[in-house]
Structure formats: structure tokens, C-alpha cells
Amino acid sequence: MKGQVHNQGELKELKVEIEKSVVEAIEKMAANTGYSLNELVVIALKRFRASHSDYEKKTMSLD
């Protein structure tokens, strides 16, 4: 995972309000891993998106 590029291509800002404890935990994780805060958030969001593709109304075709 360390060798992967996690935040590439055209970037767009997303401003969100998140519980303070969650922000502080992600900041600690960034400091402990060497990932930037942006990279950790992108990794988390991509994993969430992969696990919940139904939220995007994508369905698997079983033809």
C-alpha cells in the first residue's frame, strides 16, 4: 500500500465538518504513518466507496 499513489489526477476540494475526535485520530494516523492527511482521507473514502457501491446505484450484471 505504501508504494501506491492514492491521490492522482485532477483534484477537487471537498469541505466537510467532521467530529473533532475523528479529525484528531486521522491526524495522529498521518503523523504515525508518514502519509499526508489528504492521502489518508482519500484512502478511507476510496475504501468506503468500494464497500458501498450500492450507494452509487451501481449493480453487478449477472448475464
Side-chain angles (χ1 to χ4, degrees):
M1 194 162 105
K2 269 287 196 195
Q4 294 177 332
V5 178
H6 299 285
N7 205 13
Q8 61 186 2
E10 184 179 356
L11 302 180
K12 182 175 180 178
E13 185 178 53
L14 172 66
K15 185 174 179 177
V16 297
E17 294 288 325
I18 301 173
E19 294 173 15
K20 180 181 177 181
S21 63
V22 175
V23 172
E24 291 171 346
I26 295 291
E27 289 172 338
K28 285 180 188 174
M29 292 170 69
N32 291 334
T33 62
Y35 283 116
S36 70
L37 190 59
N38 284 349
E39 287 175 306
L40 280 183
V41 171
V42 168
I43 291 166
L45 288 173
K46 284 182 175 182
R47 288 184 178 182
F48 181 87
R49 186 177 175 206
S51 297
H52 299 285
S53 60
D54 56 316
Y55 289 8
E56 295 184 87
K57 297 191 180 198
K58 292 181 180 177
T59 57
M60 206 166 91
S61 178
L62 299 174
D63 288 337

